[in-house]
Amino acid sequence: MTDATTTRPALIDHLVYAVPDLDTGIAAVQEQIGATLSPGGHHQRWGTRNALLGLGAGCYLEVIGPDPDVPSRTGEPRPFGIDDLTRPRLATWCAAPPDLEAGIQAVRDVGYDPGQPLEMSRRTPGGSLLVWRLAMSDDPLPGGGILPFLIDGGTTPHPSQSAPSAVTLARLSAEHPDLPTIRPVLEALGVDLHVVHGPVPTLVAVLDTPVGRVELR
């Protein structure tokens, strides 16, 4: 692992900021960062809705919450612990390995099961259909959210291309009470995330914004 000057993992696709109420969460984030998020879309499979903010270098911030108008198609709990949230939090992040199947096998080889790939889609406010594949653990927040879920974005445009981009990600780091269980998985993925010992699993994103540096956790 690298020292505290690490800026970001090379494979980062996006950060997931989960909120119990999307409209309230969007307003709070916009006030904090001094920038506007763009509407994302509805996830019919999960019963969620999101809003997006580009963070530079092909990654973005996803603010996601329950969609009261779209119940989960599967009847299962919403992802990222959204149903149990009492306050917004930087819940987890998504890594984009060069080869999704190879990435899945690499972490299985060190004892972590990221789940089978499943196909996801959402329609943008402009009507375009985005399709991608995700590998997600049965645990809604593996490693307390420090271990990423995995994505293959396919051939549809990456969300960072159309999201507002007045903000950049300066640094992503993490804290976790059990480093020996976390580091082998990150290393198997080739992820250089700076993780230090801490009492509670915590992701920390430092953003350069129009109002100065802002920390999300």
Side-chain angles (χ1 to χ4, degrees), residues 143 146 173-177 179 194-204 217:
I146 309 307
S173 60
E175 302 171 5
H176 198 276
L179 299 182
H194 181 64
V195 187
V196 298
H197 187 272
V200 177
T202 306
L203 269 182
V204 183
R217 57 170 64 217

Side-chain angles (χ1 to χ4, degrees), residues 8-29:
R8 66 178 67 178
L11 303 179
I12 188 170
D13 185 82
H14 65 278
L15 309 181
V16 176
Y17 192 74
V19 298
D21 179 87
L22 187 61
D23 292 336
T24 302
I26 291 171
V29 170

Side-chain angles (χ1 to χ4, degrees), residues 2 8 14 17 20 26 35 45-47 55 81 92 108 112 118 135 140 144 149 156 173 182 194 201 205 212:
T2 58
R8 66 178 67 178
H14 65 278
Y17 192 74
I26 291 171
R45 182 185 184 94
W46 289 341
L55 297 177
T92 189
R108 283 180 177 162
Y112 170 65
L118 56 91
F149 59 102
T156 51
S173 60
I182 296 299
H194 181 64

Side-chain angles (χ1 to χ4, degrees), residues 32 171 173 203-207 209 212-217:
Q32 188 175 4
R171 184 169 64 251
S173 60
L203 269 182
V204 183
V206 177
L207 308 179
T209 81
R213 284 214 155 173
V214 170
E215 186 177 275
L216 289 182
R217 57 170 64 217

Side-chain angles (χ1 to χ4, degrees), residues 30-184:
Q30 290 182 155
E31 181 177 3
Q32 188 175 4
I33 65 174
T36 301
L37 282 72
S38 64
H42 305 269
H43 304 109
Q44 297 289 337
R45 182 185 184 94
W46 289 341
T48 55
R49 186 164 56 94
N50 65 6
L52 309 178
L53 178 73
L55 297 177
C59 68
Y60 65 99
L61 174 69
E62 175 186 29
V63 179
I64 185 170
D67 187 341
D69 298 324
V70 182
S72 169
R73 194 173 69 193
T74 64
E76 298 172 355
R78 294 179 176 92
F80 316 127
I82 286 174
D83 292 323
D84 299 322
L85 281 177
T86 58
R87 61 176 181 82
R89 62 169 296 207
L90 187 59
T92 189
W93 65 289
C94 179
D99 182 298
L100 180 60
E101 278 70 23
I104 291 170
Q105 188 58 53
V107 295
R108 283 180 177 162
D109 287 345
V110 295
Y112 170 65
D113 185 1
Q116 292 289 341
L118 56 91
E119 188 169 291
M120 295 288 298
S121 66
R122 70 173 173 85
R123 198 164 290 279
T124 69
S128 299
L129 181 66
L130 303 182
V131 180
W132 64 96
R133 291 192 303 147
L134 288 182
M136 301 185 71
S137 168
D138 289 337
D139 183 341
L141 292 172
I146 309 307
L147 296 180
F149 59 102
L150 308 180
I151 191 169
D152 174 359
T155 60
T156 51
H158 193 264
S160 65
Q161 296 176 11
S162 57
S165 55
V167 174
T168 57
L169 175 62
R171 184 169 64 251
L172 180 66
S173 60
E175 302 171 5
H176 198 276
D178 186 6
L179 299 182
T181 67
I182 296 299
R183 284 180 168 163

